[in-house]
Short mmCIF file of all heavy atoms in Angstrom, two decimals:
data_model
loop_
_atom_site.label_atom_id
_atom_site.label_comp_id
_atom_site.label_asym_id
_atom_site.label_seq_id
_atom_site.Cartn_x
_atom_site.Cartn_y
_atom_site.Cartn_z
N ASN A 22 -53.84 -62.02 -2.52
CA ASN A 22 -53.07 -61.07 -1.73
C ASN A 22 -53.92 -60.38 -0.70
O ASN A 22 -53.51 -59.36 -0.14
CB ASN A 22 -52.43 -60.02 -2.66
CG ASN A 22 -51.13 -60.49 -3.24
OD1 ASN A 22 -50.81 -61.66 -3.22
ND2 ASN A 22 -50.35 -59.55 -3.77
N THR A 23 -55.13 -60.88 -0.48
CA THR A 23 -56.00 -60.31 0.53
C THR A 23 -56.39 -61.38 1.54
O THR A 23 -56.50 -62.55 1.21
CB THR A 23 -57.28 -59.73 -0.09
OG1 THR A 23 -57.92 -60.76 -0.86
CG2 THR A 23 -56.98 -58.56 -0.99
N VAL A 24 -56.59 -60.92 2.78
CA VAL A 24 -57.03 -61.83 3.82
C VAL A 24 -58.07 -61.09 4.66
O VAL A 24 -57.96 -59.88 4.89
CB VAL A 24 -55.85 -62.34 4.69
CG1 VAL A 24 -55.15 -61.20 5.40
CG2 VAL A 24 -56.31 -63.41 5.66
N TYR A 25 -59.09 -61.82 5.08
CA TYR A 25 -60.18 -61.24 5.84
C TYR A 25 -60.30 -61.93 7.19
O TYR A 25 -59.92 -63.09 7.35
CB TYR A 25 -61.50 -61.40 5.08
CG TYR A 25 -61.49 -60.83 3.69
CD1 TYR A 25 -61.27 -61.64 2.58
CD2 TYR A 25 -61.67 -59.46 3.48
CE1 TYR A 25 -61.25 -61.12 1.30
CE2 TYR A 25 -61.64 -58.92 2.20
CZ TYR A 25 -61.43 -59.76 1.12
OH TYR A 25 -61.40 -59.22 -0.14
N LEU A 26 -60.88 -61.22 8.13
CA LEU A 26 -61.21 -61.80 9.43
C LEU A 26 -62.63 -61.37 9.77
O LEU A 26 -62.88 -60.21 10.10
CB LEU A 26 -60.23 -61.34 10.51
CG LEU A 26 -60.41 -62.02 11.86
CD1 LEU A 26 -60.03 -63.50 11.77
CD2 LEU A 26 -59.58 -61.33 12.94
N GLN A 27 -63.55 -62.31 9.66
CA GLN A 27 -64.94 -62.07 10.06
C GLN A 27 -65.06 -62.38 11.54
O GLN A 27 -64.79 -63.51 11.96
CB GLN A 27 -65.89 -62.96 9.25
CG GLN A 27 -67.34 -62.82 9.64
CD GLN A 27 -67.90 -61.44 9.33
OE1 GLN A 27 -67.64 -60.88 8.27
NE2 GLN A 27 -68.67 -60.88 10.25
N MET A 28 -65.47 -61.40 12.31
CA MET A 28 -65.55 -61.54 13.76
C MET A 28 -66.99 -61.42 14.20
O MET A 28 -67.62 -60.36 14.05
CB MET A 28 -64.69 -60.47 14.44
CG MET A 28 -63.24 -60.49 13.99
SD MET A 28 -62.22 -59.27 14.84
CE MET A 28 -62.88 -57.75 14.20
N ASN A 29 -67.55 -62.50 14.72
CA ASN A 29 -68.93 -62.53 15.20
C ASN A 29 -68.96 -62.75 16.71
O ASN A 29 -67.97 -63.18 17.31
CB ASN A 29 -69.70 -63.64 14.50
CG ASN A 29 -69.79 -63.45 13.00
OD1 ASN A 29 -69.82 -62.33 12.50
ND2 ASN A 29 -69.85 -64.55 12.26
N SER A 30 -70.09 -62.48 17.30
CA SER A 30 -70.27 -62.68 18.75
C SER A 30 -69.12 -62.05 19.53
O SER A 30 -68.55 -62.66 20.42
CB SER A 30 -70.38 -64.17 19.07
OG SER A 30 -71.45 -64.77 18.38
N LEU A 31 -68.82 -60.82 19.20
CA LEU A 31 -67.67 -60.15 19.82
C LEU A 31 -67.89 -59.94 21.30
O LEU A 31 -69.02 -59.70 21.77
CB LEU A 31 -67.41 -58.83 19.11
CG LEU A 31 -66.68 -58.98 17.77
CD1 LEU A 31 -66.86 -57.73 16.92
CD2 LEU A 31 -65.21 -59.25 17.99
N LYS A 32 -66.80 -60.01 22.05
CA LYS A 32 -66.81 -59.84 23.50
C LYS A 32 -65.91 -58.67 23.87
O LYS A 32 -64.98 -58.35 23.12
CB LYS A 32 -66.29 -61.10 24.17
CG LYS A 32 -67.02 -62.38 23.79
CD LYS A 32 -66.35 -63.59 24.42
CE LYS A 32 -67.07 -64.87 24.02
NZ LYS A 32 -66.40 -66.07 24.63
N PRO A 33 -66.12 -58.06 25.02
CA PRO A 33 -65.24 -56.96 25.44
C PRO A 33 -63.77 -57.38 25.47
O PRO A 33 -62.90 -56.56 25.17
CB PRO A 33 -65.76 -56.62 26.84
CG PRO A 33 -67.21 -56.97 26.77
CD PRO A 33 -67.28 -58.21 25.92
N GLU A 34 -63.49 -58.63 25.79
CA GLU A 34 -62.09 -59.09 25.84
C GLU A 34 -61.46 -59.22 24.46
O GLU A 34 -60.26 -59.50 24.34
CB GLU A 34 -61.98 -60.42 26.60
CG GLU A 34 -62.93 -61.49 26.14
CD GLU A 34 -64.19 -61.57 27.00
OE1 GLU A 34 -64.76 -60.50 27.33
OE2 GLU A 34 -64.60 -62.70 27.32
N ASP A 35 -62.25 -59.04 23.39
CA ASP A 35 -61.69 -59.00 22.05
C ASP A 35 -61.13 -57.63 21.70
O ASP A 35 -60.51 -57.46 20.63
CB ASP A 35 -62.76 -59.38 21.01
CG ASP A 35 -63.23 -60.82 21.14
OD1 ASP A 35 -62.37 -61.70 21.35
OD2 ASP A 35 -64.45 -61.05 21.01
N THR A 36 -61.34 -56.66 22.55
CA THR A 36 -60.84 -55.31 22.31
C THR A 36 -59.32 -55.31 22.22
O THR A 36 -58.64 -55.80 23.12
CB THR A 36 -61.29 -54.36 23.43
OG1 THR A 36 -62.72 -54.24 23.39
CG2 THR A 36 -60.67 -52.98 23.27
N ALA A 37 -58.80 -54.80 21.11
CA ALA A 37 -57.35 -54.80 20.87
C ALA A 37 -57.08 -54.11 19.54
O ALA A 37 -58.01 -53.81 18.78
CB ALA A 37 -56.81 -56.23 20.82
N VAL A 38 -55.80 -53.87 19.29
CA VAL A 38 -55.37 -53.50 17.94
C VAL A 38 -55.09 -54.80 17.19
O VAL A 38 -54.34 -55.65 17.69
CB VAL A 38 -54.12 -52.61 17.98
CG1 VAL A 38 -53.65 -52.31 16.55
CG2 VAL A 38 -54.40 -51.32 18.73
N TYR A 39 -55.69 -54.95 16.04
CA TYR A 39 -55.54 -56.16 15.23
C TYR A 39 -54.55 -55.90 14.10
O TYR A 39 -54.67 -54.91 13.38
CB TYR A 39 -56.90 -56.59 14.68
CG TYR A 39 -57.75 -57.26 15.71
CD1 TYR A 39 -58.29 -56.54 16.78
CD2 TYR A 39 -58.01 -58.62 15.66
CE1 TYR A 39 -59.06 -57.14 17.75
CE2 TYR A 39 -58.79 -59.25 16.62
CZ TYR A 39 -59.31 -58.50 17.67
OH TYR A 39 -60.07 -59.12 18.63
N TYR A 40 -53.61 -56.83 13.95
CA TYR A 40 -52.55 -56.70 12.94
C TYR A 40 -52.64 -57.84 11.94
O TYR A 40 -52.75 -59.01 12.32
CB TYR A 40 -51.18 -56.74 13.60
CG TYR A 40 -50.90 -55.59 14.53
CD1 TYR A 40 -51.20 -55.67 15.89
CD2 TYR A 40 -50.32 -54.41 14.04
CE1 TYR A 40 -50.94 -54.62 16.74
CE2 TYR A 40 -50.05 -53.35 14.90
CZ TYR A 40 -50.37 -53.46 16.24
OH TYR A 40 -50.11 -52.40 17.08
N CYS A 41 -52.51 -57.48 10.68
CA CYS A 41 -52.38 -58.45 9.61
C CYS A 41 -50.89 -58.74 9.43
O CYS A 41 -50.06 -57.84 9.59
CB CYS A 41 -52.97 -57.85 8.34
SG CYS A 41 -52.68 -58.75 6.84
N ALA A 42 -50.55 -59.98 9.09
CA ALA A 42 -49.16 -60.35 8.90
C ALA A 42 -49.03 -61.36 7.76
O ALA A 42 -49.95 -62.14 7.49
CB ALA A 42 -48.58 -60.94 10.19
N ALA A 43 -47.86 -61.36 7.12
CA ALA A 43 -47.59 -62.29 6.02
C ALA A 43 -46.15 -62.78 6.12
O ALA A 43 -45.24 -62.01 6.45
CB ALA A 43 -47.82 -61.62 4.67
N GLY A 44 -45.96 -64.07 5.83
CA GLY A 44 -44.63 -64.64 5.88
C GLY A 44 -44.56 -65.90 5.04
O GLY A 44 -45.60 -66.50 4.75
N PRO A 45 -43.36 -66.31 4.63
CA PRO A 45 -43.22 -67.52 3.82
C PRO A 45 -43.62 -68.75 4.62
O PRO A 45 -43.47 -68.80 5.84
CB PRO A 45 -41.72 -67.54 3.48
CG PRO A 45 -41.08 -66.74 4.56
CD PRO A 45 -42.07 -65.70 4.97
N SER A 46 -44.15 -69.74 3.91
CA SER A 46 -44.50 -71.00 4.56
C SER A 46 -43.24 -71.60 5.18
O SER A 46 -42.17 -71.59 4.59
CB SER A 46 -45.11 -71.96 3.54
OG SER A 46 -46.32 -71.46 3.04
N ARG A 47 -43.38 -72.16 6.39
CA ARG A 47 -42.24 -72.69 7.12
C ARG A 47 -42.51 -74.13 7.53
O ARG A 47 -42.65 -74.44 8.71
CB ARG A 47 -41.95 -71.81 8.34
CG ARG A 47 -41.63 -70.36 7.98
CD ARG A 47 -41.39 -69.51 9.22
NE ARG A 47 -41.31 -68.09 8.90
CZ ARG A 47 -40.22 -67.44 8.57
NH1 ARG A 47 -39.08 -68.10 8.47
NH2 ARG A 47 -40.25 -66.15 8.31
N GLY A 48 -42.60 -75.00 6.54
CA GLY A 48 -42.75 -76.42 6.81
C GLY A 48 -44.03 -76.71 7.55
O GLY A 48 -45.11 -76.33 7.13
N GLN A 49 -43.91 -77.38 8.69
CA GLN A 49 -45.06 -77.82 9.46
C GLN A 49 -45.61 -76.74 10.40
O GLN A 49 -46.62 -76.95 11.06
CB GLN A 49 -44.69 -79.05 10.28
CG GLN A 49 -44.24 -80.23 9.45
CD GLN A 49 -45.32 -80.67 8.48
OE1 GLN A 49 -46.46 -80.84 8.85
NE2 GLN A 49 -44.95 -80.81 7.21
N ARG A 50 -44.95 -75.61 10.48
CA ARG A 50 -45.40 -74.57 11.41
C ARG A 50 -46.67 -73.93 10.87
O ARG A 50 -46.84 -73.74 9.68
CB ARG A 50 -44.30 -73.54 11.62
CG ARG A 50 -43.01 -74.18 12.13
CD ARG A 50 -42.00 -73.14 12.54
NE ARG A 50 -42.40 -72.48 13.79
CZ ARG A 50 -41.65 -71.57 14.40
NH1 ARG A 50 -40.50 -71.21 13.88
NH2 ARG A 50 -42.06 -71.02 15.53
N ILE A 51 -47.57 -73.56 11.80
CA ILE A 51 -48.89 -73.07 11.39
C ILE A 51 -49.00 -71.56 11.43
O ILE A 51 -50.07 -71.02 11.18
CB ILE A 51 -50.01 -73.69 12.25
CG1 ILE A 51 -49.91 -73.20 13.70
CG2 ILE A 51 -49.97 -75.21 12.17
CD1 ILE A 51 -51.12 -73.52 14.54
N GLY A 52 -47.92 -70.87 11.77
CA GLY A 52 -47.97 -69.41 11.79
C GLY A 52 -48.57 -68.84 13.04
O GLY A 52 -49.19 -67.77 12.99
N ALA A 53 -48.39 -69.48 14.16
CA ALA A 53 -48.96 -68.99 15.42
C ALA A 53 -48.02 -68.09 16.20
O ALA A 53 -48.41 -67.56 17.24
CB ALA A 53 -49.38 -70.18 16.29
N GLN A 54 -46.80 -67.93 15.72
CA GLN A 54 -45.82 -67.10 16.41
C GLN A 54 -45.46 -65.88 15.57
O GLN A 54 -45.26 -65.98 14.37
CB GLN A 54 -44.55 -67.90 16.69
CG GLN A 54 -44.76 -69.13 17.55
CD GLN A 54 -45.31 -68.79 18.92
OE1 GLN A 54 -44.93 -67.76 19.51
NE2 GLN A 54 -46.21 -69.62 19.44
N PRO A 55 -45.35 -64.72 16.19
CA PRO A 55 -45.02 -63.50 15.43
C PRO A 55 -43.72 -63.61 14.64
O PRO A 55 -43.61 -63.01 13.56
CB PRO A 55 -44.92 -62.42 16.52
CG PRO A 55 -45.80 -62.91 17.62
CD PRO A 55 -45.65 -64.40 17.61
N ASN A 56 -42.74 -64.36 15.15
CA ASN A 56 -41.46 -64.42 14.45
C ASN A 56 -41.50 -65.26 13.18
O ASN A 56 -40.48 -65.39 12.48
CB ASN A 56 -40.35 -64.91 15.40
CG ASN A 56 -40.59 -66.31 15.91
OD1 ASN A 56 -41.45 -67.03 15.42
ND2 ASN A 56 -39.83 -66.71 16.91
N GLU A 57 -42.64 -65.82 12.84
CA GLU A 57 -42.79 -66.55 11.59
C GLU A 57 -43.17 -65.62 10.43
O GLU A 57 -43.29 -66.07 9.29
CB GLU A 57 -43.87 -67.63 11.73
CG GLU A 57 -43.51 -68.70 12.75
CD GLU A 57 -44.61 -69.73 12.90
OE1 GLU A 57 -45.01 -70.33 11.88
OE2 GLU A 57 -45.10 -69.93 14.02
N TYR A 58 -43.36 -64.35 10.73
CA TYR A 58 -43.85 -63.40 9.73
C TYR A 58 -42.80 -62.34 9.43
O TYR A 58 -42.11 -61.85 10.32
CB TYR A 58 -45.14 -62.74 10.22
CG TYR A 58 -46.28 -63.73 10.37
CD1 TYR A 58 -46.43 -64.46 11.54
CD2 TYR A 58 -47.17 -63.94 9.33
CE1 TYR A 58 -47.45 -65.38 11.67
CE2 TYR A 58 -48.20 -64.85 9.46
CZ TYR A 58 -48.33 -65.57 10.62
OH TYR A 58 -49.35 -66.48 10.74
N ASP A 59 -42.74 -61.99 8.14
CA ASP A 59 -41.79 -60.97 7.69
C ASP A 59 -42.43 -59.61 7.52
O ASP A 59 -41.72 -58.59 7.54
CB ASP A 59 -41.17 -61.39 6.35
CG ASP A 59 -40.30 -62.63 6.48
OD1 ASP A 59 -39.89 -62.98 7.60
OD2 ASP A 59 -40.02 -63.26 5.43
N TYR A 60 -43.72 -59.58 7.29
CA TYR A 60 -44.39 -58.33 6.96
C TYR A 60 -45.60 -58.12 7.87
O TYR A 60 -46.34 -59.08 8.15
CB TYR A 60 -44.85 -58.33 5.50
CG TYR A 60 -43.76 -58.66 4.51
CD1 TYR A 60 -43.72 -59.89 3.87
CD2 TYR A 60 -42.76 -57.73 4.23
CE1 TYR A 60 -42.72 -60.20 2.97
CE2 TYR A 60 -41.75 -58.04 3.33
CZ TYR A 60 -41.74 -59.27 2.71
OH TYR A 60 -40.75 -59.57 1.81
N TRP A 61 -45.80 -56.86 8.26
CA TRP A 61 -46.89 -56.52 9.18
C TRP A 61 -47.62 -55.28 8.70
O TRP A 61 -47.02 -54.37 8.12
CB TRP A 61 -46.35 -56.25 10.58
CG TRP A 61 -45.82 -57.47 11.25
CD1 TRP A 61 -44.56 -58.00 11.13
CD2 TRP A 61 -46.53 -58.34 12.13
NE1 TRP A 61 -44.46 -59.14 11.88
CE2 TRP A 61 -45.64 -59.37 12.50
CE3 TRP A 61 -47.82 -58.34 12.64
CZ2 TRP A 61 -46.02 -60.40 13.37
CZ3 TRP A 61 -48.20 -59.36 13.49
CH2 TRP A 61 -47.31 -60.38 13.85
N GLY A 62 -48.93 -55.25 8.97
CA GLY A 62 -49.71 -54.05 8.72
C GLY A 62 -49.57 -53.07 9.87
O GLY A 62 -48.91 -53.35 10.87
N GLN A 63 -50.24 -51.94 9.73
CA GLN A 63 -50.10 -50.86 10.71
C GLN A 63 -51.02 -51.06 11.92
O GLN A 63 -50.86 -50.39 12.94
CB GLN A 63 -50.39 -49.51 10.04
CG GLN A 63 -51.86 -49.17 9.89
CD GLN A 63 -52.56 -49.93 8.78
OE1 GLN A 63 -51.96 -50.70 8.05
NE2 GLN A 63 -53.86 -49.70 8.65
N GLY A 64 -51.98 -51.94 11.79
CA GLY A 64 -52.89 -52.20 12.90
C GLY A 64 -54.22 -51.49 12.72
O GLY A 64 -54.29 -50.40 12.16
N SER A 65 -55.27 -52.13 13.23
CA SER A 65 -56.62 -51.58 13.16
C SER A 65 -57.29 -51.79 14.51
O SER A 65 -57.33 -52.91 15.02
CB SER A 65 -57.41 -52.28 12.05
OG SER A 65 -58.69 -51.71 11.90
N GLN A 66 -57.81 -50.71 15.10
CA GLN A 66 -58.41 -50.78 16.44
C GLN A 66 -59.80 -51.41 16.38
O GLN A 66 -60.64 -51.01 15.56
CB GLN A 66 -58.51 -49.39 17.06
CG GLN A 66 -59.18 -49.36 18.42
CD GLN A 66 -58.33 -50.00 19.49
OE1 GLN A 66 -57.12 -49.76 19.59
NE2 GLN A 66 -58.95 -50.84 20.33
N VAL A 67 -60.02 -52.37 17.25
CA VAL A 67 -61.34 -52.97 17.45
C VAL A 67 -61.71 -52.76 18.91
O VAL A 67 -60.96 -53.17 19.81
CB VAL A 67 -61.35 -54.46 17.10
CG1 VAL A 67 -62.66 -55.11 17.52
CG2 VAL A 67 -61.12 -54.65 15.61
#
């Protein structure tokens, strides 16, 4: 129930609010679209 994102060699263009998301598996889709997710975190500023 946990997911991590290790971010190395960070660049200024990586500056953003980062959101965690979770959703049911949808066949062959890889989860690259926001509408594939049912649940979202509150966001964390980087």
Side-chain angles (χ1 to χ4, degrees):
N22 275 16
T23 55
V24 62
Y25 304 99
L26 186 68
Q27 177 66 43
M28 304 182 292
N29 298 329
S30 301
L31 282 161
K32 305 175 181 179
E34 51 263 44
D35 295 318
T36 296
V38 177
Y39 283 69
Y40 296 91
C41 170
S46 296
R47 300 178 190 272
Q49 299 301 311
R50 302 189 72 176
I51 67 167
Q54 300 299 323
N56 62 12
E57 296 179 56
Y58 295 86
D59 293 343
Y60 307 107
W61 292 85
Q63 81 285 357
S65 184
Q66 178 69 45
V67 171

